[in-house]
């Protein structure tokens, strides 16, 4: 089983729609969680951290469910500019140091 | 702003060549990482380093080595390039060992081995 699993998509949604991505992780001792965004032919950039209590940043909401070992990203009122690949990132302890593991990414295409 | 700079955007090398990919960060970060990114496989960790002269194997270290002689510089070495090492290589850095901080990426090096 992969350490971090995501549905690669693509998710094709109309402008204004709400879309949600899930990501599951296998290591129950994982400690930190993030969503990164990667535009075509660009490097990944941090979108938001994911906190246990859930957190929101404008149209974006991230949630963590430790019991079921998944994190989610909800995008409301999708914009064309939201089209990108969204990477789930999980960190865990590896021999005393943190190992950062990326999911395969979920591709989102927002269509007019 | 944090800046992570990779020495080349595009490289074409021949099979069997020794290839050096250089990465420099300007924010005194402790951690540095090398990933490769391939369609359908996502980002896979090759090696990481948490301090000068320290290195740890990632998930796919075979065929690669690394060097970290200075804190700001992390080099990835392909000892004898092969066609299956054709990929996008991404370098990243982050502040601390704790792993709960943002990772900053370089712009990537697209390597083609012919």
């Amino acid at each position: 089983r992969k350490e971090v699993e995501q549905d690669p998509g693509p998710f094709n949604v109309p402008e204004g729609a709400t879309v949600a991505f899930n990501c599951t992780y296998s290591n129950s001792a994982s400690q930190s969680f993030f969503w990164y965004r990667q535009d075509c032919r660009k490097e990944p950039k941090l979108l938001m951290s994911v906190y246990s209590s859930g957190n929101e940043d404008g149209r974006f909401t991230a949630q963590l469910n430790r019991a079921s070992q998944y994190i989610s990203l909800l995008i409301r009122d999708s914009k064309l500019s939201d089209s990108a690949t969204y990477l789930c990132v999980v960190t865990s302890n590896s021999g005393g140091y943190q190992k950062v593991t990326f999911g395969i990414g979920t591709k989102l295409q927002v269509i007019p | 702003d944090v800046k992570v700079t990779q020495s080349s955007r595009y490289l074409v090398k021949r099979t069997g060549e020794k290839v050096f990919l250089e990465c420099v960060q300007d924010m005194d970060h402790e951690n540095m990482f090398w990933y490769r990114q391939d369609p359908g496989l996502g980002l896979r960790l090759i090696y990481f380093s948490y301090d000068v002269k320290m290195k740890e194997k990632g998930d796919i270290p075979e065929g690669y080595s690394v060097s970290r002689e200075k804190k700001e510089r992390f080099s990835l070495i392909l000892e004898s390039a092969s066609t299956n090492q054709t990929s996008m290589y991404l370098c990243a850095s982050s502040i601390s060992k704790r792993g709960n901080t943002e990772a900053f990426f370089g712009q990537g090096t697209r390597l083609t081995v012919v």
Side-chain angles (χ1 to χ4, degrees):
Chain A
R1 183 185 171 187
K2 286 184 180 177
E3 287 185 60
V4 178
E5 296 209 56
Q6 288 184 260
D7 180 345
F11 284 55
N12 297 313
V13 302
E15 266 186 293
T18 295
V19 61
F21 309 134
N22 281 342
C23 165
T24 59
Y25 59 94
S26 60
N27 185 349
S28 60
S30 295
Q31 295 169 311
S32 300
F33 308 89
F34 307 89
W35 284 102
Y36 277 69
R37 171 190 169 131
Q38 186 174 22
D39 294 304
C40 188
R41 298 187 180 278
K42 299 278 190 179
E43 71 273 21
K45 292 185 178 179
L46 180 67
L47 177 67
M48 58 197 303
S49 302
V50 186
Y51 302 119
S52 297
S53 54
N55 48 299
E56 191 173 304
D57 182 2
R59 298 181 293 108
F60 298 83
T61 301
Q63 291 193 310
L64 167 64
N65 185 319
R66 283 194 182 271
S68 300
Q69 294 181 208
Y70 76 84
I71 67 172
S72 63
L73 178 68
L74 182 77
I75 305 175
R76 291 181 298 279
D77 188 23
S78 299
K79 312 289 185 193
L80 294 176
S81 56
D82 294 335
S83 297
T85 297
Y86 291 84
L87 301 165
C88 167
V89 180
V90 174
T91 68
S92 57
N93 190 283
S94 174
Y97 295 91
Q98 291 291 329
K99 181 181 176 185
V100 180
T101 304
F102 284 76
I104 195 172
T106 297
K107 187 171 183 178
L108 171 66
Q109 186 70 45
V110 181
I111 48 183
Chain B
D1 278 353
V2 174
K3 195 165 184 184
V4 180
T5 304
Q6 293 182 230
S7 51
S8 306
R9 288 298 301 272
Y10 301 94
L11 272 180
V12 180
K13 296 292 182 182
R14 294 194 180 278
T15 301
E17 275 193 77
K18 191 168 186 176
V19 181
F20 293 86
L21 302 183
E22 305 286 348
C23 176
V24 178
Q25 50 94 2
D26 65 359
M27 284 300 291
D28 203 35
H29 283 176
E30 292 181 3
N31 291 348
M32 295 190 74
F33 308 85
W34 275 106
Y35 292 87
R36 62 178 283 177
Q37 187 172 32
D38 301 286
L41 296 175
L43 275 152
R44 293 180 292 167
L45 181 63
I46 304 171
Y47 269 97
F48 64 102
S49 169
Y50 44 82
D51 205 348
V52 176
K53 295 192 186 295
M54 305 301 282
K55 60 185 179 183
E56 290 285 335
K57 291 181 180 179
D59 298 315
I60 51 163
E62 296 78 19
Y64 303 94
S65 62
V66 291
S67 171
R68 191 153 180 214
E69 295 297 317
K70 294 184 178 181
K71 192 173 187 179
E72 67 269 19
R73 186 180 296 269
F74 192 35
S75 303
L76 180 70
I77 303 151
L78 286 65
E79 298 291 342
S80 176
S82 63
T83 54
N84 63 13
Q85 292 178 310
T86 291
S87 186
M88 170 67 86
Y89 289 88
L90 287 157
C91 173
S93 73
S94 66
I95 289 176
S96 76
K97 296 183 178 73
R98 291 189 299 276
N100 57 354
T101 56
E102 180 178 357
F104 295 87
F105 284 84
Q107 77 276 30
T109 297
R110 188 166 292 279
L111 172 67
T112 302
V113 182
V114 298

